[in-house]
Amino acid sequence: MAWFKKTEETETHVENDNSALTSIRQTLEQIHLPAQVQSTAEKELKRLEQIDPSVAEFTIGMNYIQLILDLPWTQRTPNTLDLDQAEAILDREHAGLQHIKDRILEYLATNVVFLSQAFRILVVDDEQITRENISHILSKEKYQVQTAQDGTEAMDILAEHTFDLVITDLKMERVDGMELMERVKQEKPGVEIILITGYATVDTAVNALRGGAAHYLSKPLNLDVLKRTVKDISQRRQPMRMAGPILCFTGPPGTGKTSIGRSVAAAMGRQFIRLSMGGLRDEAELRGHRRTYAGAMPGRIISEMRRVGVNNPVIMLDEIDKIGQDFRGDPASVMLEVLDPEQNKAFLDYYLDIPFDLSDVLFITTANMPENLPKPLLDRMEILPFSSYSVEEKKRIALHYLAPKQIRQHGQSPEHIHFSEAALECIIKDYTREAGLRNLEREIGALCRKINRRILKKEVTTPVELNVEDVHDLLGPARFMSEAAQAGNLPGVTTGLVWTESGGQIIFIETARMRGNGQLILTGSLGDVLRESGQTALSYVRSQASQFGIDETIFEQSDIHVHIPAGNIPKDGPSAGITIAIALISLLTGRPAKRDVAMSGELSLSGRVLPVSGVREKILAAQQAGARVAIFPKQNERMAKTLEDDVLNAVELYFADSVSSVIDVVLEAPEP
Ligand code: ADP
């Protein structure tokens, strides 16, 4: 605490505190705070002057005033949004993700248009041709432009309409530019002025600026300079209010959501803040505690605003679907209050207890499972889905982005260390199992450290070319195996594809038959929907037993057990229907099921295969697990065909409309 020096002597103590109070008073006088804030701070200061500095209340009060002084009530990063530059930044830092980048650029473009459209300019010049030229140029930039032929007409128009900027010629008949400027400054103090003259001398320029002109341009007019000057003024004057819905990035971890958010901030020249909402349990964590509580502090939002020192950062609210279930207070209404520009104009932190304007903050949210969001919140959001990367995409991104980045971060240059494509593929397949890129990046980092060590020990010399053997040698035995490719085929065990919040996954469905009386046992912590899929699959197989060559009496004399291992996968959803049905047919006919054929499809009681979601993620999961074939419902075919070639070629795809049509694809041929 800068204002409070801890010392043994009480005398010095008081003196320091007095000087601290004096310095706060001086700061208060110098900086320009909004009226309500200023008066609250002054009131608090007066109160503190009456209090003995050794009591806790004094410290609490000092901390409070310090917060008020530190907060960016008016400080902001100037708007420097340039769409071409924004696009370049997004491309420089991210491979692919074209639809996301496009959507973000559209979003920013809309706001640029919105910003310039709302900016009103009055052009005053007695030469018609100049007037029209300037008006034409600025209208093309989407500003609202009106013209006047001299100062008198300009004053009449100004009396009736509101403008942000007046661009005026200096020499005009009747009321000239200087006089117009003086009158505007008196009668319309908020309006900015640009003076233009053919008689450019240093003196007139200085006088103009002294008189309050924002800028001074000389004839012949350089149109680019004019455009730039107007843009600067419009950006300085107008906060970049974000129009439209709140963007919500969804998708598995490591697919680039945070990093795109960071690039959006960089593209806009703004500060970036990431706030994790995961497991947030108390409204007070966001909004702070009232100062009457012992140890009260401001909430996270106000604390972060204080830290960055500007009131228009980009704030990424991460994992808003993970706000703790036991959240005290109503998470949706707090989130809406923070995110809605109408409400967040006066965001109230309980500790600060003065409304703080958050409406210039650009909020971006992320969620793994947006369906879990409260409806009122979901309605205000535009969902931008990020999806898993294929092995090919991962390889490309690793080669061009992740490896060079990690190599640099480890003090080397990409010319000195080179990962071969085969080495990268080996890291992707044998050492990571993920939808995104986090572990891949981490493993590349680990390899860079190991190589650095070898270089220092003079075991290798640069340039180092890393191949598959080096990866195995440095990272140790492979951590993942191709489960689907390597497990043996068995009767009653099939490979399914599911979609979880961390991307697609494979599961094995195991079935067993034992003597009994027709019971179905379902285990593996299954949800209700999956249990019903199990029932439906059994009823279907039973009803069609003769078609599949199954002895119908088996059902009365046996119990059937369906088990889905893999403990960490949440098991619900209808898409395992066909996988269970085929497992049962395999079990009851004794024909082993091919493990490298993975499938996903909802099953109707009549054996029709109904569409599922997450096809892209599931294909990629099948590829990762080493499956050769993936079966999906026929109704998913049209959508699937629109996927990128990398994904379509990842495994052999098969589209089915009935269970019977895929039996021979999955099961081994019957013994002759
Ligand atoms: P998320 O926020 O979705 O969990 P991150 O943004 O943290 O994911 O991404 C993990 C890492 O992968 C980061 O280093 C990021 O830069 C990198 N990354 C993700 N997607 C891409 C991409 N398309 N191109 C380049 N790098 C990427």
Side-chain angles (χ1 to χ4, degrees):
M1 279 173 266
W3 49 269
F4 189 86
K5 269 200 208 122
K6 210 168 180 192
T7 152
E8 300 293 308
E9 293 167 64
T10 330
E11 283 293 300
T12 340
H13 216 137
V14 173
E15 212 171 84
N16 274 340
D17 295 323
N18 281 340
S19 68
L21 288 178
T22 316
S23 107
I24 285 186
R25 179 160 296 289
Q26 278 166 356
T27 318
L28 257 180
E29 277 157 14
Q30 280 158 12
I31 60 175
H32 207 75
L33 294 174
Q36 188 190 358
V37 182
Q38 180 91 20
S39 82
T40 311
E42 274 168 12
K43 226 186 280 161
E44 185 69 17
L45 196 60
K46 274 211 193 90
R47 201 176 65 83
L48 286 187
E49 281 162 352
Q50 315 296 322
I51 298 182
D52 177 355
S54 60
V55 299
E57 203 184 332
F58 183 83
T59 313
I60 294 170
M62 284 299 261
N63 284 338
Y64 179 63
I65 294 200
Q66 196 67 50
L67 172 69
I68 294 183
L69 293 183
D70 289 348
L71 276 174
W73 299 96
T74 51
Q75 291 88 331
R76 47 189 300 112
T77 319
N79 288 314
T80 53
L81 184 56
D82 174 328
L83 274 193
D84 294 335
Q85 195 197 346
E87 187 167 0
I89 291 179
L90 287 173
D91 283 341
R92 191 177 66 214
E93 288 165 15
H94 300 94
L97 298 176
Q98 202 50 49
H99 67 289
I100 306 267
K101 290 179 190 166
D102 284 345
R103 183 59 196 95
I104 288 174
L105 290 169
E106 285 160 19
Y107 186 77
L108 297 180
T110 310
N111 284 287
V112 172
V113 172
F114 176 74
L115 187 66
S116 47
Q117 261 177 358
F119 195 71
R120 291 142 305 180
I121 304 172
L122 179 63
V123 178
V124 193
D125 200 312
D126 51 3
E127 269 179 57
Q128 187 182 356
I129 180 101
T130 318
R131 221 166 42 228
E132 285 175 359
N133 270 347
I134 298 180
S135 167
H136 175 70
I137 298 285
L138 295 177
S139 304
K140 254 177 57 187
E141 298 292 304
K142 308 269 183 291
Y143 299 109
Q144 275 182 20
V145 188
Q146 235 175 300
T147 57
Q149 58 183 355
D150 56 34
T152 316
E153 191 187 353
M155 284 317 296
D156 290 345
I157 297 177
L158 277 162
E160 302 230 325
H161 305 277
T162 314
F163 288 88
D164 298 290
L165 170 67
V166 173
I167 302 178
T168 174
D169 194 14
L170 189 59
K171 290 264 180 256
M172 288 179 295
E173 301 271 308
R174 302 204 289 173
V175 179
D176 74 0
M178 271 313 206
E179 199 183 331
L180 175 64
M181 180 170 77
E182 275 160 27
R183 286 176 59 179
V184 169
K185 283 286 148 203
Q186 257 179 15
E187 291 169 34
K188 304 269 172 184
V191 180
E192 301 271 1
I193 299 188
I194 298 180
L195 277 177
I196 301 175
T197 178
Y199 312 93
T201 66
V202 175
D203 284 353
T204 34
V206 170
N207 278 344
L209 294 177
R210 209 177 272 150
H215 272 275
Y216 180 86
L217 301 175
S218 55
K219 282 187 187 170
L221 262 189
N222 176 329
L223 295 180
D224 283 334
V225 174
L226 171 73
K227 277 197 274 188
R228 205 165 346 126
T229 312
V230 173
K231 186 172 170 197
D232 279 352
I233 295 176
S234 79
Q235 289 184 340
R236 203 174 59 220
R237 274 178 65 89
Q238 282 198 290
M240 177 96 176
R241 296 263 149 98
M242 284 298 160
I246 304 145
L247 295 182
C248 178
F249 297 168
T250 68
T255 45
K257 300 184 291 294
T258 312
S259 135
I260 282 271
R262 230 177 258 286
S263 297
V264 169
M268 300 172 76
R270 302 244 199 132
Q271 299 274 0
F272 180 77
I273 297 172
R274 178 168 168 260
L275 282 180
S276 175
M277 298 284 110
L280 202 67
R281 261 180 292 146
D282 196 333
E283 197 175 327
E285 285 182 56
L286 275 181
R287 270 184 196 283
H289 285 285
R290 288 185 199 288
R291 268 176 299 136
T292 42
Y293 278 83
M297 285 200 306
R300 285 208 225 167
I301 294 187
I302 288 297
S303 302
E304 284 297 317
M305 298 304 285
R306 171 193 214 169
R307 191 177 62 77
V308 294
V310 282
N311 63 10
N312 61 345
V314 172
I315 299 189
M316 177 168 260
L317 298 175
D318 221 1
E319 303 194 318
I320 54 165
D321 54 331
K322 297 270 167 50
I323 290 183
Q325 304 262 303
D326 48 351
F327 187 84
R328 260 175 284 159
D330 175 4
S333 71
V334 182
M335 277 292 120
L336 273 177
E337 186 178 334
V338 172
L339 294 169
D340 182 353
E342 284 307 310
Q343 299 185 52
N344 70 16
K345 250 187 250 164
F347 171 73
L348 196 64
D349 179 282
Y350 291 141
Y351 176 87
L352 181 60
D353 208 21
I354 318 170
F356 190 88
D357 184 354
L358 291 177
S359 60
D360 283 341
V361 174
L362 169 58
F363 285 101
I364 298 178
T365 60
T366 82
N368 290 111
M369 287 274 170
E371 337 36 294
N372 295 349
L373 289 176
K375 179 98 169 51
L377 202 52
L378 199 55
D379 287 346
R380 297 262 359 241
M381 304 230 165
E382 172 169 345
I383 306 284
L384 288 188
F386 285 60
S387 50
S388 311
Y389 292 109
S390 66
V391 173
E392 285 304 313
E393 274 173 315
K394 287 183 183 176
K395 217 160 59 179
R396 272 199 301 272
I397 297 176
L399 195 63
H400 299 295
Y401 294 83
L402 305 182
K405 183 160 104 188
Q406 284 300 321
I407 291 169
R408 279 196 207 96
Q409 277 182 11
H410 286 85
Q412 297 284 356
S413 130
E415 282 98 61
H416 290 155
I417 300 180
H418 183 256
F419 286 79
S420 74
E421 284 199 32
L424 291 172
E425 184 164 334
C426 165
I427 310 172
I428 294 166
K429 289 189 167 161
D430 294 351
Y431 296 89
T432 63
R433 179 59 46 92
E434 59 180 348
L437 301 161
R438 279 200 196 150
N439 292 327
L440 174 58
E441 188 169 15
R442 201 170 299 140
E443 295 301 333
I444 293 175
L447 283 168
C448 292
R449 286 190 289 281
K450 288 179 194 288
I451 295 166
N452 265 347
R453 186 162 171 220
R454 288 199 171 180
I455 293 174
L456 287 180
K457 284 172 103 181
K458 303 210 166 30
E459 288 171 9
V460 289
T461 48
T462 53
V464 182
E465 170 82 21
L466 234 88
N467 53 36
V468 175
E469 290 82 66
D470 299 321
V471 173
H472 283 304
D473 188 25
L474 290 168
L475 292 183
R479 256 168 255 153
F480 294 94
M481 53 158 197
S482 306
E483 305 96 309
Q486 287 168 8
N489 298 343
L490 290 173
V493 184
T494 48
T495 308
L497 292 168
V498 293
W499 186 27
T500 71
E501 61 184 77
S502 48
Q505 301 242 8
I506 65 157
I507 52 169
F508 292 115
I509 292 191
E510 302 176 346
T511 55
R513 178 174 73 89
M514 58 222 108
R515 193 170 312 173
N517 52 8
Q519 280 199 53
L520 173 65
I521 306 157
L522 290 158
T523 56
S525 316
L526 313 184
D528 287 345
V529 180
L530 197 50
R531 291 184 162 274
E532 285 176 10
S533 292
Q535 294 279 5
T536 311
L538 179 62
S539 300
Y540 166 70
V541 173
R542 200 168 168 179
S543 67
Q544 302 294 321
S546 59
Q547 179 198 337
F548 301 130
I550 298 167
D551 174 5
E552 285 179 46
T553 57
I554 272 185
F555 296 100
E556 286 142 34
Q557 295 153 8
S558 326
D559 286 346
I560 289 182
H561 187 159
V562 175
H563 177 63
I564 308 186
N568 58 354
I569 298 179
K571 288 167 222 147
D572 207 5
S575 70
I578 106 167
T579 324
I580 301 175
I582 303 251
L584 292 172
I585 296 170
S586 163
L587 173 76
L588 300 173
T589 57
R591 285 170 66 184
K594 297 173 195 162
R595 283 284 181 104
D596 60 357
V597 178
M599 63 205 114
S600 173
E602 185 177 351
L603 182 70
S604 80
L605 203 49
S606 59
R608 279 190 312 121
V609 181
L610 307 176
V612 292
S613 48
V615 172
R616 187 180 192 281
E617 313 291 315
K618 288 174 180 172
I619 295 177
L620 295 176
Q623 178 191 36
Q624 283 219 348
R628 188 175 47 81
V629 181
I631 300 177
F632 291 100
K634 189 93 185 153
Q635 287 180 47
N636 283 113
E637 185 169 9
R638 191 131 49 99
M639 186 289 263
K641 290 279 159 71
T642 63
L643 294 172
E644 317 91 275
D645 287 347
D646 276 353
V647 181
L648 286 177
N649 298 330
V651 288
E652 193 183 320
L653 292 176
Y654 196 96
F655 295 93
D657 51 12
S658 68
V659 170
S660 49
S661 67
V662 285
I663 288 180
D664 289 335
V665 181
V666 189
L667 303 189
E668 287 182 6
E671 307 247 325

